[in-house]
Each structure stands twice: as structure tokens, then as C-alpha cells.
Amino acid sequence: MTFSADKSILYKKFYREIYRIRRVEEEIARIYPTDKIKSPVHLSIGQEAVSVGVCQALRPDDIVFGTYRGHAMYLAKGGDLRGMIAELYGKSTGCAKGIGGSMHLIDTNHGIMGTSAIVGTTIPLAVGYAYGLKLNQKDSIAVSFFGDGAVDEGAFHESLNYAALKKLPVLFVCENNLYAIHSHHLQRHHSDNITERARSYGMPAKRIEDGDVFKIYDFVKATVEKMRAGSCGPVFLECVTCRWKEHVGPCDDFHLGYRSEEEVAAWKRKDSLSSLGSLLESDIRNKIELAVASEITDAFKFAEESLFPEPERLYHYLFKE
Amino acid sequence: MPRILKYPDAICEALEQEMSRDPSVIVLGQGVDDPKAILGTTKGLVEKFGSERVSDTPLAEDGMTGVAIGAALAGLRPIHTHIRMDFVLLAMNQIINMAAKMHYMFGGAVYIPIVIRSIIGKSWGQGAQHSQSIYPMLMNIPGLKIVAPSTPYDVKGGLIQSLRDNNPVVFIEHRLLYYQKGHVPEESYTIPFGKARVLARGSHITLVGISHMAVECLRAQRYLKEVGIEAEVIDPVSLSPLDIDTILASTLKTKKIIVVDNSWITCGAGAEIIAQLTEKNHENKGIVFRRMGFAFVPCPTTPALENSFYPNAKTIASTAYEMIYGKKDSWTPDAELTIEEVEFKGPF
Ligand SMILES: Cc1ncc(C[n+]2csc(CCOP(=O)(O)OP(=O)(O)O)c2C)c(N)n1
Ligand SMILES: [Mg+2]
């Protein structure tokens, strides 16, 4: 352990965060068949511990960049829930005014610089942001979230090289859920060596294999302290994890046969949410769960009752005034 | 009884027949061998032809395009598949700087028989990065052939022709064309590039629709018929080379033309077609031109705005009506649900 904070406070916080993201996405999955959300949804269910472990160790003024599988990162970093649900509904009150949908969440007030539907595109953006932070002598850091599929892309390698070269304060977080859609990463990579490859560019790199939210938190907490102190340069973290649902959409996908039910069941058995839950007194848990439930009810009601954008909004945001 | 096939099944049949005929044809691309098989279009290929000829790739669009070019130099005929046309943007360097140039730049010493296959997305919140249709950018590049068939017949014949062509061919499908059904002969056949297809005959106005917009034009033609207007509908099928003569002949007959792009209007196929018509028709015989296409913004996801982003059969029909009867006399057909609206429930 590299920190000495009161564990029980952390248990509570982490449980709340993971539970909240899980429940939000379960609610999205429940609503989806009504066709009210006309937006492709890439659920993070099963992967929440990565976003929570990382973002709990960040400060509000740290900046995150992510992918279309971005609900967990958005919520973990403090993104506005009402704005997110309204965005999925295509309403003008959404975090991107209904124009972006589920794949393009943003909340700059909370350091969320946007998610992209083109794999690998936000990795260099995080590096560039870190460049800006360094030039402006800020002690906040940039974090880039991406999947194992993004590791295949040239932009990934170009970004790591440049970040190391310029010793930029950027934390790379690879959420390795082993698949890019249905393609296993060993069908796309010669070896299981993402961290070694990152290290070869000239940065410390760590792999956490079991999705343990505390291990992720501890590592990031210690790392960002060093990064803030300056001169440490970029750091790479690979978190092995598991997407429980299909690549896109609200259902399971075991019928496709590209992975086994057992493979996912093994991850479900070590789910951070249930292990954290078992550490809490039931009345504490109940209180958290009730508060989350009412927040979610409120957010969906807000989205339902919000208006669609007016037709003239079509041309509104093309250029900055 | 004509044999009726769906658009994706016609694609799959073309791949299967051409791979059987020519062992040098190989299929590359993200997900080509996966359980969903690119919306069914590569179904059964890996089982039949093996994983050396049908293979998944890393997410490395530009690099893999280069690999396809290299394989073509070694005598193979690769077809590289992208499930969205937006991902072709990552491969522009190899497509434009290498594939399109090599035969010319090396004085004919080598040639590059590759096919770059991609699907344009639309609707269900595909949004700014999953709905682009970048054929106008590619039409600007010499050395590429560009095909975007709208019918099951042409998609099969066009794909076989693309695989036999000795040059880089950009082969463009549209997600919503996957609901089209039509006559597709069982045997292998090709259609010639540079030959437009007249989908409906008429003498009052010419409607040219690119890719899925050909379907919208045909719907508009049916609406217009109800008010006594006979529209001629043309699908150029191949955009590069472009069969301007068929379009010119029709326009000289009807004196009115709308070109409906499946992309932004600016520098689009419509701009090119109308410029060529103008150049060819020196005395300008009183022809009225109109271009339609995407609103000049990135595609929004919310249905509230997405609907007005795209032209559709209604807006095409009312524009045609106005061109014939003048502004004061406007008319819009009653809306009717399209097969896509009924069947396409996302997400991709
Ligand atoms: C450049 C690019 N290529 C292909 C795609 C299609 N695509 C969307 S998600 C995806 C898989 C990405 O996998 P990974 O990075 O591991 O993220 P995960 O979905 O597992 O979270 C692919 C291939 C894309 N969006 N962008
Ligand atoms: Mg993955």
C-alpha cells in the first residue's frame, strides 16, 4: 500500500461510484428496446473498476480523453448524469446538445474533453493537452483512456513516442478487455506484451491483471503524485478487464461463439462491485443504493421531459463565433 | 421467375464466386471472419477458402492498405473491407499517395489490383464519425476507380468487375441499401464501369441519385407520378469513370435535372456532373439545374436534426415539382414509411 487513507471511506466511495455506473448502464439497457435512445450504446458494464480506480485518484482539474465506450469514464470523472442521459435521448439539454449521442460525451467543466468513435483518435489529443499543461506550468495531468484495439493503430505508437520524447505529463490507460469487437487481441498482436511495448518507448509501464479497483487506485495515486512533481514524464497502465455485454447494444453475446460464457463468468465472480459490497454494512449500502436510484430516476425523467433541439440548431455549432 | 436476392447476399455471392474462380483473390479486413461477417457479406468465406485467404486484420487501416498494395504487387488481388467509410479516412495516405499513383509514377512498370470496400452509415445516431461518404474527395484523385451501386444486380456485377479490374477500385455500399431486394442471376457476371443505369424512364425531369439517394430518387419518382410528373431516374453506378453521356442525353430530353448527392454538395458528384453537363452543352439549351445533398455540417445524432440533414424522397419530389411548376406552386407528397425506417433499428 502506498497510501494510508481510511480504507472504509474508500470502500464506500468506490462502492458508490461503481454501483452508480453499473445501475445507470443497466437502466440504459432496460430502456433501449423502447427505441427512445436512438444512439449506438457501447456499455462499460464489467469494466467500471478501471475508470473508478483511475478517476478517484485524479483531481477535478485533471483532464481525461476517452472512447465511444465512455459512459464509465464520463461518470467516474464527475460528468453530469442528467446531461449524459439527455444526450443519449438526443435532447437539447444533453452534454453535447443532443448532437453527439452516446459516443460523443463531453463535460469540460469536469475535465472530460470528449470521446470519439474513431479508434485511437483521442490518444494524441491527450498528449497534446499534456504538452499544453507542461508549457503553461500547470501541475494537472492528462489521462488517455483507450482499448486494446487502439494499440493496433499507428496513432498509439506515434503518441507514446512523442510523449516520452517530450516527457509529458500524460497517463495512458489501456483498458484491455481482450477483444476489439469479436477479435481477440492475440488474433491481432504477436504476443501479450502491451506493457513491454509501452516501456520500450521510454516510460514506466504497469499491468494490473485482475481488475482490482484498489490496485488501480493505489498505482494511479502514487503515479500522479510523481507526475505532478514534474520531470517524471508519461506513464502507462494496462488494466486487463472484461466487457460483460455485447460490443455494442444492451444484450449478451454468447450465442455468437467468439468467447465462452465461462470466460465472462470468471470475471463476474471477481466483480469489484460485489466484493466491495460485502465489505459494507447493509444499511450503508442501502443508503447508497437508494440515493443512486433516485438520482437515476431524476436523470431519465429529465431526459424524457427535455425538448429536442429546434430545427435551426442544425447549423448552429459549425464554427466558433 | 426472376431470382430475387438481397443486396448483402448479392455481395456475398460475388465474393464467393470470384474467389472460387480466381485463387489470387484474398479478403482482408477487420471482422471479415467474425461471427457477424460484415453484416453477412463475408459469411461462409473463411470456412470455404481458409484463413490464409480470408483474414481479420489489426486495427491498422493505413498499414493494412499498404499490405494490400504489397500483396497486389506480388500477384494477389486483395479486397480490403471497412465496415464504415469513415475508417477509409485513416487509409488515405496509402490509397492516394501509393495505390492511385504507382502505375503512372513508375511508367506502367507495376499495377495495383486492389479493391477498397466500405459501407456508408446512416441513421440511428451514427453521428458525425460513422455516416460520412467521402467519394467526392476520392473523385478528385486520378488513378482511382469509384463504384457505388444501388441495386443488388449492380452490386454483384460491380463487385466482380472490381475484383477483375487491374487498378485500385473504391467500392462503396450503403448500410440502408442492405434492405434492397432485386433480380440477381445465379451465374457470375460483370457490369462495365463508366456505364450509368437508367432506373426509370420519364420525360419531364431527370433525377440522378448517388448510392442510397438513387433509392430516394426512385421513391420521389413514384410520388411525382401521382401528380402527373414523369421523372427519369439515373444511378451513375460508377462515379469514376463517370458516364456523363447517359446523363446528358436524358437532360437534353427533360431540360431539368436534380443531382442528389449522398454526401455534402460542395465539390460533390453533383457539382462535377453539372459542370460537365454545362461544358458539354455549349449553347445551354435552357436547362435548369439543381443540386441536393447533406446539410453543410457534420451529421448530428439526434433524430430531430438528422432528419433535416439528409435529402429524402419527399424533399426531392417537392424540389422537382417546384422546378416544373415554379415557386408559387408548392407541393409535398404525403410521407410514407420506408423499408429502412421499418427495419433498421440500429445500432450499426
Ligand atoms: C479507426 C477505426 N477503425 C475501426 C473502427 C470500428 N471499431 C469500432 S470499435 C472497434 C473495436 C475497438 O476495440 P478496443 O479498442 O479494444 O475497444 P473496446 O470496444 O473493446 O472497448 C472497432 C474495430 C473504428 N471505430 N475506428
Ligand atoms: Mg477491447
Side-chain angles (χ1 to χ4, degrees):
Chain A
M1 278 311 119
T2 52
F3 72 106
S4 56
D6 181 0
K7 275 262 164 172
S8 78
I9 295 179
L10 284 183
Y11 290 157
K12 235 174 101 173
K13 254 167 92 177
F14 291 2
Y15 182 77
R16 178 191 175 272
E17 289 298 311
I18 296 180
Y19 180 78
R20 179 167 173 265
I21 298 169
R22 177 79 49 92
R23 283 293 308 123
V24 167
E25 289 207 312
E26 284 171 349
E27 191 59 14
I28 292 168
R30 194 184 68 80
I31 293 280
Y32 204 72
T34 65
D35 296 350
K36 285 180 181 167
I37 297 174
K38 290 193 179 63
S39 183
V41 288
H42 301 77
L43 301 181
S44 313
I45 295 178
Q47 304 189 189
E48 304 92 336
V50 181
S51 289
V52 171
V54 172
C55 292
Q56 282 291 316
L58 299 178
R59 288 195 322 222
D61 62 336
D62 292 328
I63 300 295
V64 299
F65 290 83
T67 75
Y68 52 87
R69 196 179 307 288
H71 299 168
M73 182 197 79
Y74 175 94
L75 292 172
K77 186 65 176 59
D80 178 48
L81 178 61
R82 282 179 158 199
M84 170 178 148
I85 304 302
E87 190 57 38
L88 269 59
Y89 273 70
K91 299 295 180 76
S92 59
T93 51
C95 61
K97 310 285 194 292
I99 289 170
S102 161
M103 302 195 288
H104 304 296
L105 300 178
I106 190 157
D107 186 345
T108 55
N109 291 331
H110 294 96
I112 301 152
M113 264 315 144
T115 62
S116 169
I118 305 293
V119 173
T121 42
T122 57
I123 305 173
L125 273 56
V127 172
Y129 202 97
Y131 193 100
L133 290 171
K134 190 173 177 182
L135 242 66
N136 292 326
Q137 296 176 334
K138 296 265 169 59
D139 74 343
S140 41
I141 64 156
V143 182
S144 167
F145 286 86
F146 51 87
D148 51 295
V151 172
D152 308 8
E153 293 284 0
F156 166 84
H157 299 273
E158 295 167 23
S159 302
L160 264 61
N161 176 53
Y162 188 75
L165 179 71
K166 298 286 176 187
K167 292 200 168 48
L168 299 175
V170 53
L171 173 67
F172 297 102
V173 180
C174 176
E175 293 190 58
N176 184 358
N177 60 12
L178 304 184
Y179 295 91
I181 309 187
H182 311 123
S183 176
H184 192 273
H185 90 110
L186 289 178
Q187 192 178 327
R188 295 172 285 110
H189 300 160
H190 173 271
S191 324
D192 187 5
N193 64 349
I194 293 174
T195 24
E196 285 153 50
R197 287 194 275 160
R199 209 171 283 135
S200 76
Y201 283 107
M203 68 187 77
K206 162 121 179 141
R207 173 176 162 112
I208 295 173
E209 294 197 343
D210 57 4
D212 180 338
V213 65
F214 285 102
K215 282 190 197 152
I216 296 168
Y217 172 82
D218 288 350
F219 175 77
V220 176
K221 189 87 184 154
T223 297
V224 293
E225 269 160 31
K226 277 185 248 161
M227 290 172 83
R228 288 191 211 292
S231 75
C232 149
V235 175
F236 191 94
L237 172 62
E238 175 190 2
C239 297
V240 184
T241 181
C242 176
R243 149 172 69 73
W244 292 7
K245 298 285 182 189
E246 59 189 331
H247 167 70
V248 55
C251 303
D252 290 337
D253 65 359
F254 303 116
H255 65 286
L256 293 176
Y258 74 99
R259 60 174 185 176
S260 69
E261 202 159 349
E262 177 46 35
E263 187 179 327
V264 177
W267 278 93
K268 289 185 177 172
R269 284 194 292 272
K270 55 182 175 183
D271 181 20
S272 294
L273 185 64
S274 31
S275 47
L276 281 165
S278 65
L279 295 171
L280 296 178
E281 311 263 334
S282 66
D283 59 326
I284 294 180
R285 231 175 39 215
N286 284 345
K287 243 166 96 182
I288 293 174
E289 293 173 5
L290 281 173
V292 166
S294 80
E295 197 194 350
I296 292 174
T297 307
D298 164 78
F300 277 82
K301 185 163 177 281
F302 174 77
E304 297 260 355
E305 289 172 357
S306 292
L307 300 176
F308 282 111
E310 294 295 325
E312 59 274 13
R313 286 276 142 177
L314 183 59
Y315 292 94
H316 198 80
Y317 297 103
L318 189 57
F319 291 111
K320 170 95 177 135
E321 291 298 305
Chain B
M1 269 291 279
R3 179 171 171 267
I4 301 298
L5 232 55
K6 272 181 120 174
Y7 191 91
D9 301 332
I11 294 170
C12 194
E13 188 166 277
L15 289 170
E16 198 272 324
Q17 289 180 352
E18 203 52 15
M19 290 186 82
S20 299
R21 194 191 69 87
D22 181 352
S24 66
V25 173
I26 60 163
V27 173
L28 296 172
Q30 293 163 35
V32 294
D33 62 351
D34 88 357
K36 293 202 173 164
I38 315 291
L39 304 153
T41 57
T42 57
K43 203 167 159 200
L45 297 181
V46 69
E47 291 79 0
K48 180 151 188 196
F49 300 104
S51 58
E52 302 246 283
R53 288 184 67 194
V54 181
S55 69
D56 186 32
T57 71
L59 284 67
E61 289 76 8
D62 199 44
M64 288 311 304
T65 306
V67 169
I69 296 170
L73 289 169
L76 297 179
R77 287 179 174 269
I79 170 164
H80 187 202
T81 302
H82 305 268
I83 201 152
R84 276 292 169 277
M85 197 173 197
D86 311 69
F87 311 152
V88 175
L89 285 164
L90 281 82
M92 291 297 250
N93 176 42
Q94 286 290 345
I95 294 171
I96 297 176
N97 280 327
M98 300 301 283
K101 309 247 184 319
M102 287 177 73
H103 182 258
Y104 186 86
M105 184 167 81
F106 293 125
V110 292
Y111 63 99
I112 313 296
I114 62 167
V115 180
I116 294 135
R117 198 192 136 200
S118 66
I119 305 166
I120 300 165
K122 178 175 177 178
S123 171
W124 209 266
Q126 305 289 300
Q129 298 175 329
H130 273 60
S131 61
Q132 292 174 99
S133 171
I134 58 160
Y135 62 83
M137 296 183 203
L138 295 165
M139 285 173 72
N140 189 240
I141 303 300
L144 296 176
K145 298 192 180 181
I146 305 170
V147 206
S150 71
T151 65
Y153 182 90
D154 285 339
V155 89
K156 177 175 172 183
L159 187 51
I160 293 175
Q161 178 60 35
S162 301
L163 289 162
R164 293 186 188 174
D165 199 283
N166 286 327
N167 299 285
V169 178
V170 178
F171 192 83
I172 304 166
E173 301 151 31
H174 192 292
R175 180 67 183 89
L176 298 189
L177 288 173
Y178 275 49
Y179 299 100
Q180 293 297 308
K181 293 190 181 104
H183 170 53
V184 177
E186 192 157 0
E187 70 276 8
S188 180
Y189 62 93
T190 60
I191 56 160
F193 290 162
K195 189 83 199 79
R197 185 162 303 281
V198 180
L199 296 173
R201 294 273 174 202
S203 56
H204 298 146
I205 187 162
T206 302
L207 306 177
V208 178
I210 316 294
S211 184
H212 182 247
M213 286 301 157
V215 173
E216 297 289 351
C217 285
L218 270 179
R219 286 185 190 129
Q221 179 257 351
R222 286 196 291 271
Y223 291 139
L224 288 165
K225 211 179 190 137
E226 290 164 21
V227 289
I229 295 174
E230 303 286 336
E232 184 140 301
V233 178
I234 300 177
D235 173 3
V237 187
S238 97
L239 296 164
S240 216
L242 180 69
D243 175 11
I244 197 67
D245 293 337
T246 297
I247 301 172
L248 178 67
S250 172
T251 312
L252 288 175
K253 175 176 73 180
T254 61
K255 301 278 193 281
K256 289 175 189 63
I257 176 168
I258 307 178
V259 184
V260 192
D261 255 301
N262 201 101
S263 185
W264 292 289
I265 297 170
T266 307
C267 301
E272 180 58 27
I273 287 169
I274 288 170
Q276 288 195 29
L277 289 179
T278 314
E279 282 171 348
K280 284 195 181 259
N281 172 34
H282 300 293
E283 306 101 86
N284 185 14
K285 304 191 177 73
I287 292 171
V288 187
F289 305 98
R290 262 312 243 290
R291 288 179 294 164
M292 296 178 76
F294 298 175
F296 204 43
V297 289
C299 181
T301 51
T302 178
L305 300 182
E306 196 185 46
N307 293 340
S308 44
F309 175 81
Y310 290 105
N312 58 46
K314 273 176 74 176
T315 57
I316 297 165
S318 62
T319 304
Y321 190 91
E322 188 191 296
M323 282 168 74
I324 289 169
Y325 291 112
K327 266 211 166 9
K328 56 189 185 322
D329 226 5
S330 72
W331 162 85
T332 309
D334 293 333
E336 127 196 332
L337 279 182
T338 63
I339 181 84
E340 294 90 330
E341 283 168 301
V342 179
E343 291 203 18
F344 187 59
K345 292 275 185 161
F348 285 111

